[in-house]
Amino acid sequence: MTDSKYFTTTKKGEIFELKAELNSDKKEKKKEAVKKVIASMTVGKDVSALFPDVVNCMQTDNLELKKLVYLYLMNYAKSQPDMAIMAVNTFVKDCEDPNPLIRALAVRTMGCIRVDKITEYLCEPLRKCLKDEDPYVRKTAAVCVAKLHDINAQLVEDQGFLDTLKDLISDSNPMVVANAVAALSEIAESHPNSNLLDLNPQTINKLLTALNECTEWGQIFILDCLANYMPCDDRESQSICERVTPRLSHANSAVVLSAVKVLMKFMEMLPKDLDYYGTLLKKLAPPLVTLLSAEAELQYVALRNINLIVQKRPEILKHEMKVFFVKYNDPIYVKLEKLDIMIRLASQANIAQVLAELKEYATEVDVDFVRKAVRAIGRCAIKVEQSAERCVSTLLDLIQTKVNYVVQEAIVVIKDIFRKYPNKYESVIATLCENLDSLDEPEARAAMIWIVGEYAERIDNADELLESFLEGFHDESAQVQLQLLTAIVKLFLKKPTETQELVQQVLSLATQDSDNPDLRDRGYIYWRLLSTDPVAAKEVVLAEKPLISEETDLIEPTLLEELICHIGTLASVYHKPPSAFVEGSRGVQHKRLPARAVITLVKRTGLSGSNMGAGLGVAPAAMPASLGGAPAVGGGLGDLFDLGGGVGMPTGSYVAPKTVWLLAIKAKGLEISGTFARRGGIIQMDLSLTNKAMSVMTDFAVQFNRNSFGLAPAGPMQVLTPLSPNQTIDVSLPLSMSGPVMKMEPLNNLQVAVKNNIDVFYFSCQYPLSLLFVEDGRFYRQVFLATWKDIPNDSEAQFQIKDIHLNSDVASNKLQGSNIFTIAKRTVEGQDMLYQSIKLTNGIWVLAEMRIQTGNPNYTCTVPRIVYASLLHSQ
Amino acid sequence: MIHSLFLINNAGDLFLEKHWKSVISRSVCDYFFEAREKAVEPDNVPPVIRTPHHYLINIYREKIFFVSVIQTEVPPLFVIEFLHRVAETFQDYFGECSETTIKDNVVIVYELLEEMLDNGFPLATESNILKELIRPPTILRSMVNTITGSSNVGETLPTGQLSNIPWRRAGVKYTNNEAYFDVVEEIDAILDKSGTTVFAEIQGVIDACVKLSGMPDLTLSFMNPRLLDDVSFHPCVRYKRWESERVISFIPPDGNFQLMSYHISAQNLVAIPIYVKQNISFFETGSSGRLDIAVGPKQTMGKTVECLVVTVHMPKVVLSANLSATQGTYNYDPVTKILLWDIGKLNPQKLPNLKGSLSLQSGAPKPEENPSLNIDLKIQQLAISGLKVNRLDMYGEKYKPFKGVKYVTKAGKFQVRT
């Protein structure tokens, strides 16, 4: 007899019948009836009308019946809140049952009843269960706190459940620890700054102990939690790595990948010359390879992550190319990912093998895959210079197959090869030209036209070829039309005598007969250029172009770092930072890889001297270099006070007056003055552009060179109207911190390029470091002193700020406006001591002590110290 | 964590839904159906699908899509592993994991899902524990239940759940104590046209069937443990002892389980048991082609190759095949375009050969792609890597168990290019 019998009664009076059965005296009949009700529920039938009758069955000593009723309750309580209250008593009673299974079941079900009215009644039983003698009940109760928090967060906080939950991290039972961690992690996701998971060496030790003994799922929670910890030095980091490594041999692939995440992150702190560092690198390869023998879905997620890992640390998998070879029956999503990784791993040593494989794939059935394989050959050529020739000949072989889409794809990539290695492979052009007629995709046609234009002087019948395209000009896509226009102009500049007619024809087609504005504008530009100054036209159109490189395919380094911290998550599958797409995670914090990055920054500042403090994890003396040492910044701090000396001025970030950055005589009439400001957490560059020339300026654009903190424009510069002579426009350019990082001298130097219709101009300016002080720079008061003491004495700097007539409170307020937070204040012998903290956008903490003698206009600012991010607290 | 689960069959009917938090409307599956449509083949549906408010993570098993819904950042592997566990549990409970069996046992399915996940957190996923909580259906039991009114649900706390060995239940008793181990190796390989190995590796697993009373503590050792440098263990295995002594020491779960899996990728260790000579060609004119495939033994270590099957995925234009086989039978399915040649046992004296002509759709151009051959085979009493179990010792219990080890080698993803 099977459960399908429960579906057979679909008669009209079904509900009525069930009602009668539910109220039957016979236990067995009751149970059967509840089963029927559940079965109807599972297929989406509405049986909520039976609510009171089902709840009546709840008071039973039959466990199965109880479970079934609970199942029903969870489903329908929401729609019948008043009725659901009837169930409360039974829950409370069950929570005291001698059988721990019943107690756990009750507390588990309670949490699933998402009715506000009921939750209040459940606090007491839950509190008891959290302290139950039986660990099975405690672990169930831990999860219940997370459920309750989801329904009513305030209630959970008021009742102090979060503290009880934190205590459970020290529980003697590993399963309880794991569930407490899981619950806290889930709650923390909606409270980014709550510091719920306060990780310190003691708790870490407890977690590591529990890690060995809890279930596979618990291991995942614990490992993911560990990954958020910042070890204070390389020794601690190594000891955590050693204890996590055995997880790499776990049968559950999610455990393996979470362990990989912890190792990839903490490895960052280990000195590269350490033996253990090499050992660890070797240990990482086999588990990653093993992930690829799992089911296709697991492979896919693994491959997306491996893609990140090989970009960060190519050495781990450099000898494992073969495992990424594509198998005939791999699903398409696995095939495409493998292909991508093959290219990333391609090097001079293995390129022959890779090319042979790619050529094989180019004859497969799946068109998408074939296309990507052909593209991959082109990417290999661009990546591995020595292989370019072999790649080109492979592509030519493929063109010989005359398979239409293969030929087209090959031509597109050969164009890119030309852009990387100009004037090297023109011999193949003849072969390409033979296939001209078969090209029907715009991208391939455009590529071919580009090649003809670029090498017009070496193709005898270039004019004929281009002319043949011109015949159907209006039927072509915009991409092809634009290419055709440019190619013909190039041809004309190279062979002016024979092609005058052709160029006139294309210019008139583009400017008069087309309604595409891009095409028309480009047509006019060429036309004017050609008619006013052919020499200049030649310089512009035939100018030498920068070479392309493989870097265009790589993930930008700061994003890559963040993604490495998120290995195994959705972010790693989509290769996007979690803030970009996860809904409901308010204010996701950007995670960063720890340590060495910071230490190297310090090293480069050159002032840090002997004790690099790797052993202590403290990066010493960096601050004097960047703040105290550099007079510009010492002054900058003074500036923060200068703010008009104004009493009653609204506190806010200090903004320096604009200074002239670019002189008009140096920039063909364009004068730029500007300053930087931090408004509501957003860094802005305020610019005034003045046109001191005689003609109108348009097409403004701006770009930054790499700089110490990765400042970059967050969007294009918005200059909407043309700038007429003697006009000034004010522009505010929001900046992001996601640009490429390179240490500058001085540290706060920024090199800027501004382009307009006339030329490109370069200037450099310096931004105040206070620009980088973030709003959540308040260090934890409890640990401030301990941290302060932990910093070695020789990593301090001292300087005086003169002539400030403010008392300590006003000064403190003023500084707070610039995100310098006063953590504590002490008065000793007529001196006010302010203890302050600052956090920079890249996670560096600065601690400072400021001494103010009443009546003395000179402040002594002692010891700006830098502590390595999150030394004692973790995010 | 995991919010909801939808089960959808191959035809696109949603036949079961389970929510662990608030109810999510099944309309969310529309995004899945869209992706399913786009993928054409069910195997090609992307495992992670993004919708405006949720993520759908799915696996495809036994013609059923297990589609889970998540709302926050959850490790996708965690979800996929869990879904596999669900499918395995159904298989374990009902003998097969199909729409019919799930529908037939819908209440047990519901009870199981409820037991496996709490608020989206995994609760009990070990088969040993689940079986204590919810007894699997047997014909006998459902009859007994109907007569006596006893239930399917365990009345006591599952004992293993709290001990340090959560995978084993207490109080196990057998009259015949026995422990059997199957060393199963699969060869994954790609051979190119000329028969050269492009890529080869071995995926090995040791499956165990342990029916021992009490709390036995077992130690399994190998003749040549050095072969194993990339291993994954069942949670019961003590990793420290493996690291230091290269032995597998463990207290086993009761019943069937996978003790370990391993992966051997060093090419020199991977023997290829057969060779394949093939020639498939299509003519420019006449809408026809020729096919000639011969198979013979290569490195079989003196064992017989059995269950040999060659599968060829033909290009779409191939209408029919007129072939003759010296051994076994062949069948060409003009709908799926799959040519299947079932050879059976490989006789080294008389090498099997399949040849003949193919007819193509008239007027169609010569196919552009090269068909690819997949090989299936089995070799009994041989682990192709040479791995050998040395001995199995039992501590902690007094009785003498029956012990046995079986070896078998199979073809995994074994592909020959043409």
Side-chain angles (χ1 to χ4, degrees):
Chain A
M1 248 194 321
T2 67
D3 292 345
S4 52
K5 67 186 172 193
Y6 301 126
F7 296 111
T8 49
T9 51
T10 45
K11 287 167 289 183
K12 225 180 164 188
E14 185 188 10
I15 296 277
F16 185 76
E17 261 176 44
L18 280 172
K19 210 179 179 82
E21 285 174 38
L22 282 171
N23 290 315
S24 150
D25 295 333
K26 284 196 194 126
K27 249 192 199 168
E28 200 42 41
K29 204 158 196 180
K30 254 189 189 175
K31 199 163 88 187
E32 285 301 292
V34 176
K35 276 195 179 178
K36 278 186 204 165
V37 173
I38 301 279
S40 310
M41 187 178 90
T42 58
V43 292
K45 272 189 222 162
D46 183 17
V47 282
S48 59
L50 296 167
F51 199 90
D53 309 282
V54 177
V55 171
N56 271 337
C57 305
M58 193 170 157
Q59 296 235 23
T60 168
D61 46 9
N62 182 314
L63 196 58
E64 188 184 16
L65 184 55
K66 198 182 252 322
K67 278 192 173 180
L68 290 171
V69 175
Y70 279 175
L71 265 176
Y72 177 89
L73 260 177
M74 285 184 242
N75 216 3
Y76 285 117
K78 184 108 192 157
S79 55
Q80 310 261 345
D82 295 323
M83 294 293 217
I85 296 218
M86 289 163 49
V88 167
N89 259 334
T90 323
F91 280 130
V92 176
K93 226 176 86 198
D94 280 357
C95 279
E96 315 221 321
D97 196 278
N99 183 345
L101 188 59
I102 304 256
R103 294 203 296 277
L105 185 62
V107 76
R108 201 172 114 203
T109 314
M110 261 163 40
C112 297
I113 297 180
R114 309 177 61 87
V115 178
D116 242 345
K117 271 190 213 162
I118 292 192
T119 38
E120 281 167 42
Y121 293 99
L122 303 180
C123 290
E124 273 322 298
L126 176 59
R127 199 186 312 283
K128 264 187 210 148
C129 287
L130 279 169
K131 304 230 156 106
D132 199 282
E133 53 171 22
D134 196 308
Y136 182 71
V137 180
R138 291 201 299 278
K139 84 166 195 175
T140 315
V143 175
C144 187
V145 175
K147 295 181 195 170
L148 212 56
H149 186 272
D150 192 32
I151 303 167
N152 189 341
Q154 196 56 45
L155 183 76
V156 170
E157 274 165 53
D158 294 346
Q159 295 277 337
F161 285 141
L162 292 183
D163 294 321
T164 325
L165 205 50
K166 279 191 218 167
D167 294 342
L168 287 183
I169 291 189
S170 315
D171 200 279
S172 57
N173 185 295
M175 253 76 95
V176 178
V177 177
N179 272 14
V181 169
L184 281 171
S185 306
E186 196 182 63
I187 295 172
E189 217 168 279
S190 52
H191 281 253
N193 295 317
S194 58
N195 201 25
L196 272 177
L197 278 160
D198 186 16
L199 299 177
N200 55 47
Q202 286 78 42
T203 45
I204 289 296
N205 201 25
K206 276 171 200 148
L207 292 182
L208 285 168
T209 312
L211 181 62
N212 288 326
E213 288 164 27
C214 65
T215 66
E216 51 198 308
W217 314 108
Q219 294 183 14
I220 301 169
F221 297 135
I222 292 184
L223 286 168
D224 285 346
C225 176
L226 277 177
N228 289 332
Y229 177 65
M230 289 281 191
C232 47
D233 57 36
D234 57 341
R235 240 170 290 162
E236 188 185 7
S237 177
Q238 179 175 346
S239 92
I240 295 175
C241 287
E242 278 165 358
R243 294 177 72 177
V244 166
T245 324
R247 298 300 121 210
L248 293 176
S249 297
H250 201 287
N252 185 320
S253 60
V255 174
V256 175
L257 203 58
S258 289
V260 168
K261 164 163 60 187
V262 175
L263 296 175
M264 282 294 286
K265 199 175 167 191
F266 289 4
M267 214 167 149
E268 202 68 18
M269 285 187 76
L270 302 176
K272 282 200 168 165
D273 45 5
L274 197 71
D275 283 347
Y276 181 69
Y277 180 82
T279 320
L280 199 53
L281 273 183
K282 265 187 225 125
K283 280 194 172 167
L284 278 169
L288 290 174
V289 170
T290 304
L291 290 178
L292 297 181
S293 51
E295 287 86 351
E297 297 94 352
L298 296 168
Q299 276 188 53
Y300 170 73
V301 177
L303 284 165
R304 291 296 286 173
N305 281 283
I306 288 172
N307 200 327
L308 296 172
I309 293 169
V310 296
Q311 287 187 59
K312 180 74 191 162
R313 297 191 179 281
E315 63 269 33
I316 294 177
L317 288 168
K318 68 177 173 212
H319 299 303
E320 304 289 348
M321 171 63 88
K322 286 192 173 180
V323 299
F324 299 103
F325 284 1
V326 171
K327 288 174 194 138
Y328 177 80
N329 38 8
D330 283 334
I332 182 73
Y333 55 81
V334 168
K335 284 183 178 174
L336 296 177
E337 288 308 316
K338 281 188 173 174
L339 203 52
D340 215 39
I341 294 172
M342 280 173 68
I343 301 163
R344 297 207 192 282
L345 288 176
S347 68
Q348 206 184 338
N350 57 23
I351 193 76
Q353 245 178 1
V354 174
L355 276 180
E357 277 298 301
L358 293 175
K359 199 173 165 187
E360 193 68 48
Y361 304 159
T363 62
E364 275 237 26
V365 194
D366 193 308
V367 177
D368 282 342
F369 180 58
V370 170
R371 282 174 184 276
K372 193 152 181 190
V374 177
R375 288 221 171 192
I377 298 174
R379 277 169 70 187
C380 285
I382 291 164
K383 186 173 179 201
V384 187
E385 190 163 353
Q386 295 84 348
S387 76
E389 196 156 345
R390 212 179 311 189
C391 295
V392 172
S393 77
T394 309
L395 287 168
L396 285 179
D397 286 352
L398 289 173
I399 290 178
Q400 296 307 337
T401 64
K402 302 279 178 200
V403 178
N404 188 276
Y405 52 85
V406 175
V407 173
Q408 309 214 38
E409 210 63 37
I411 286 179
V412 172
V413 298
I414 286 180
K415 172 208 67 184
D416 285 337
I417 295 177
F418 283 167
R419 290 170 67 201
K420 168 80 181 181
Y421 310 106
N423 305 319
K424 229 173 149 185
Y425 299 107
E426 313 82 71
S427 52
V428 311
I429 293 176
T431 321
L432 303 185
C433 291
E434 285 165 20
N435 292 287
L436 218 53
D437 300 333
S438 64
L439 306 181
D440 53 10
E441 290 161 23
E443 200 182 355
R445 285 173 83 86
M448 191 64 220
I449 293 169
W450 181 87
I451 293 171
V452 174
E454 193 68 15
Y455 293 95
E457 69 273 30
R458 297 177 212 188
I459 306 173
D460 294 336
N461 59 343
D463 50 344
E464 282 169 36
L465 293 175
L466 293 174
E467 200 170 357
S468 69
F469 279 105
L470 205 54
E471 279 159 21
F473 189 79
H474 289 299
D475 302 327
E476 300 284 1
S477 72
Q479 189 184 11
V480 179
Q481 290 176 333
L482 285 165
Q483 273 314 332
L484 198 51
L485 171 62
T486 304
I488 291 178
V489 172
K490 280 179 188 165
L491 172 70
F492 171 70
L493 288 166
K494 287 172 179 175
K495 302 181 180 171
T497 45
E498 311 117 71
T499 55
Q500 206 150 12
E501 202 174 310
L502 192 60
V503 82
Q504 255 157 12
Q505 202 181 341
V506 79
L507 286 174
S508 95
L509 277 171
T511 54
Q512 284 157 27
D513 301 342
S514 165
D515 46 10
N516 178 340
D518 285 344
L519 185 63
R520 205 195 52 191
D521 290 1
R522 197 190 282 192
Y524 274 120
I525 291 169
Y526 283 141
W527 202 326
R528 299 233 165 105
L529 262 175
L530 292 174
S531 54
T532 46
D533 189 349
V535 182
K538 212 164 184 166
E539 268 172 39
V540 172
V541 179
L542 301 181
E544 206 166 291
K545 287 141 201 113
L547 303 180
I548 59 169
S549 76
E550 55 126 0
E551 275 170 40
T552 43
D553 295 319
L554 296 176
I555 295 178
E556 190 267 316
T558 35
L559 176 60
L560 181 61
E561 290 217 342
E562 189 172 359
L563 290 176
I564 290 285
C565 298
H566 287 281
I567 283 177
T569 65
L570 283 169
S572 71
V573 172
Y574 283 97
H575 291 186
K576 283 181 187 162
S579 51
F581 64 94
V582 173
E583 198 177 72
S585 50
R586 283 145 273 180
V588 176
Q589 291 180 338
H590 290 272
K591 290 184 188 168
R592 293 200 169 246
L593 286 177
R596 258 199 337 250
V598 176
I599 291 174
T600 45
L601 175 70
V602 174
K603 265 189 187 153
R604 283 198 234 116
T605 59
L607 274 165
S608 53
S610 55
N611 67 333
M612 274 321 298
L616 288 160
V618 175
M623 217 47 216
S626 55
L627 266 188
V633 190
L637 207 56
D639 283 345
L640 299 181
F641 292 108
D642 281 345
L643 190 57
V647 189
M649 286 279 284
T651 48
S653 181
Y654 166 75
V655 180
K658 282 180 182 165
T659 48
V660 176
W661 285 338
L662 182 67
L663 289 171
I665 40 165
K666 285 194 178 166
K668 302 190 181 168
L670 176 67
E671 187 187 86
I672 298 180
S673 59
T675 185
F676 293 91
R678 188 179 179 92
R679 299 188 183 99
I682 295 166
I683 300 175
Q684 284 177 327
M685 186 185 201
D686 296 341
L687 295 167
S688 293
L689 310 175
T690 310
N691 183 354
K692 298 200 168 167
M694 305 307 288
S695 55
V696 174
M697 293 178 180
T698 54
D699 297 337
F700 286 96
V702 67
Q703 219 171 8
F704 293 176
N705 197 358
R706 294 163 178 235
N707 54 71
S708 314
F709 291 92
L711 279 175
M717 182 155 73
Q718 301 284 345
V719 183
L720 297 174
T721 50
L723 191 58
S724 20
N726 276 326
Q727 195 194 353
T728 300
I729 293 188
D730 287 339
V731 194
S732 235
L733 182 67
L735 306 184
S736 73
M737 310 297 298
S738 56
V741 175
M742 187 177 84
K743 161 92 194 329
M744 296 299 292
E745 198 59 52
L747 206 60
N748 56 341
N749 197 17
L750 180 67
Q751 296 176 336
V752 184
V754 170
K755 180 193 91 87
N756 65 5
N757 55 340
I758 300 169
D759 203 346
V760 182
F761 311 107
Y762 303 92
F763 62 87
S764 67
C765 53
Q766 295 182 357
Y767 45 89
L769 266 198
S770 61
L771 198 64
L772 307 169
F773 298 172
V774 297
E775 280 69 18
D776 62 342
R778 195 178 281 282
F779 202 70
Y780 298 90
R781 200 183 166 131
Q782 299 90 321
V783 286
F784 186 96
L785 199 65
T787 315
W788 181 262
K789 282 183 184 155
D790 278 352
I791 307 170
N793 278 338
D794 52 356
S795 64
E796 37 177 83
Q798 230 184 57
F799 57 91
Q800 275 201 339
I801 306 165
K802 295 200 166 143
D803 284 313
I804 299 167
H805 301 274
L806 298 170
N807 69 29
S808 56
D809 287 343
V810 179
S812 161
N813 273 341
K814 226 170 241 317
L815 288 173
Q816 177 144 1
S818 294
N819 297 334
I820 300 173
F821 297 94
T822 303
I823 305 300
K825 183 184 160 185
R826 199 149 64 103
T827 310
V828 183
E829 298 168 348
Q831 282 192 352
D832 284 340
M833 320 272 272
L834 298 181
Y835 292 94
Q836 297 171 316
S837 75
I838 301 167
K839 189 180 169 194
L840 298 184
T841 43
N842 57 1
I844 293 178
W845 285 95
V846 180
L847 305 186
E849 176 195 65
M850 186 159 359
R851 222 176 308 149
I852 302 167
Q853 194 138 31
T854 330
N856 184 348
N858 297 344
Y859 285 12
T860 312
C861 195
T862 322
V863 212
R865 302 181 183 212
I866 185 163
V867 211
Y868 154 55
S870 319
L871 173 58
L872 280 173
H873 89 291
S874 155
Q875 298 167 346
Chain B
M1 292 293 119
I2 302 169
H3 228 101
S4 305
L5 174 71
F6 297 98
L7 300 189
I8 297 169
N9 68 14
N10 224 346
D13 302 321
L14 199 164
F15 64 91
L16 191 111
E17 59 183 289
K18 165 79 187 146
H19 307 275
W20 284 277
K21 293 185 168 188
S22 50
V23 176
I24 290 176
S25 154
R26 50 167 77 190
S27 64
V28 75
C29 291
D30 290 350
Y31 295 96
F32 170 80
F33 292 128
E34 210 173 281
R36 165 79 182 83
E37 192 94 352
K38 229 167 124 193
V40 187
E41 292 293 318
D43 286 322
N44 285 340
V45 179
V48 186
I49 298 167
R50 190 174 166 181
T51 82
H53 301 286
H54 304 92
Y55 288 84
L56 305 178
I57 298 182
N58 68 85
I59 64 166
Y60 182 60
R61 282 293 161 282
E62 314 290 335
K63 302 207 169 95
I64 301 171
F65 288 99
F66 291 72
V67 183
S68 64
V69 184
I70 60 170
Q71 210 162 12
T72 50
E73 178 66 88
V74 181
L77 274 188
F78 169 101
V79 183
I80 297 174
E81 278 280 0
F82 178 79
L83 293 178
H84 281 304
R85 211 59 62 84
V86 171
E88 280 161 25
T89 307
F90 290 168
Q91 173 90 33
D92 190 23
Y93 263 72
F94 314 129
E96 59 166 11
C97 172
S98 69
E99 188 183 347
T100 330
T101 49
I102 290 175
K103 276 185 173 164
D104 281 350
N105 297 288
V106 72
V107 176
I108 293 189
V109 165
Y110 238 70
E111 286 171 336
L112 278 174
L113 290 175
E114 188 58 34
E115 227 36 84
M116 291 180 83
L117 218 54
D118 176 22
N119 193 37
F121 298 105
L123 195 62
T125 54
E126 286 286 340
S127 133
N128 266 229
I129 295 185
L130 281 172
K131 284 191 177 151
E132 270 187 78
L133 287 167
I134 299 157
R135 289 183 201 127
T138 59
I139 294 172
L140 184 69
R141 178 159 317 119
S142 55
M143 271 169 55
V144 172
N145 285 354
T146 335
I147 298 160
T148 62
S150 72
S151 85
N152 267 342
V153 172
E155 295 279 345
T156 53
L157 184 65
T159 42
Q161 211 154 350
L162 290 171
S163 68
N164 282 336
I165 35 171
W167 54 86
R168 187 174 177 87
R169 61 194 173 94
V172 182
K173 257 206 143 87
Y174 288 101
T175 41
N176 291 323
N177 287 296
E178 44 192 24
Y180 297 113
F181 294 89
D182 289 357
V183 179
V184 183
E185 295 194 341
E186 291 194 353
I187 309 170
D188 284 359
I190 302 175
L191 307 185
D192 73 4
K193 279 194 233 338
S194 60
T196 321
T197 310
V198 176
F199 159 83
E201 61 179 14
I202 297 171
Q203 311 287 352
V205 297
I206 299 184
D207 285 325
C209 174
V210 179
K211 293 182 172 168
L212 297 174
S213 315
M215 274 288 163
D217 195 333
L218 303 178
T219 308
L220 184 74
S221 64
F222 297 101
M223 307 276 268
N224 38 8
R226 275 215 210 124
L227 280 175
L228 307 170
D229 63 345
D230 181 2
V231 288
S232 308
F233 293 118
H234 188 276
C236 68
V237 176
R238 299 182 180 102
Y239 188 74
K240 284 243 162 68
R241 291 212 46 200
W242 170 254
E243 282 275 87
S244 55
E245 300 163 53
R246 297 278 140 175
V247 296
I248 301 185
S249 154
F250 59 103
I251 294 175
D254 183 41
N256 294 312
F257 65 99
Q258 191 180 88
L259 178 64
M260 66 180 288
S261 65
Y262 56 92
H263 178 238
I264 295 173
S265 52
Q267 300 253 324
N268 47 355
L269 290 175
V270 185
I272 303 293
I274 58 159
Y275 70 83
V276 180
K277 281 188 187 155
Q278 41 73 28
N279 185 16
I280 302 174
S281 51
F282 302 104
F283 306 121
E284 288 290 354
T285 52
S287 306
S288 66
R290 282 204 63 74
L291 176 142
D292 188 344
I293 305 173
V295 190
K298 206 169 157 191
Q299 296 161 280
T300 56
M301 323 274 174
K303 310 278 188 205
T304 319
V305 178
E306 297 168 51
C307 305
L308 188 57
V309 178
V310 178
T311 316
V312 191
H313 292 257
M314 286 293 181
K316 282 202 187 67
V317 291
V318 177
L319 286 184
S320 65
N322 186 10
L323 310 169
S324 65
T326 57
Q327 188 189 334
T329 53
Y330 82 92
N331 175 36
Y332 180 65
D333 181 343
V335 181
T336 55
K337 307 289 177 193
I338 289 173
L339 173 68
L340 199 120
W341 179 26
D342 189 343
I343 300 168
K345 204 177 259 179
L346 184 63
N347 180 356
Q349 270 77 52
K350 205 175 120 246
L351 298 180
N353 175 269
L354 176 73
K355 66 177 168 188
S357 61
L358 306 167
S359 56
L360 312 187
Q361 207 173 313
S362 63
K366 190 182 137 193
E368 285 152 0
E369 75 263 18
N370 300 331
S372 163
L373 276 58
N374 282 338
I375 311 288
D376 247 326
L377 57 85
K378 196 158 140 189
I379 307 171
Q380 302 278 12
Q381 293 155 18
L382 172 73
I384 198 96
S385 67
L387 186 73
K388 271 216 151 68
V389 172
N390 185 20
R391 53 184 296 148
L392 176 76
D393 296 307
M394 185 182 74
Y395 306 94
E397 294 290 336
K398 294 236 156 28
Y399 55 85
K400 251 189 136 39
F402 293 105
K403 299 182 279 193
V405 180
K406 228 167 63 186
Y407 300 91
V408 62
T409 296
K410 295 176 185 170
K413 288 182 173 170
F414 195 120
Q415 179 191 340
V416 184
R417 291 176 178 159
T418 61

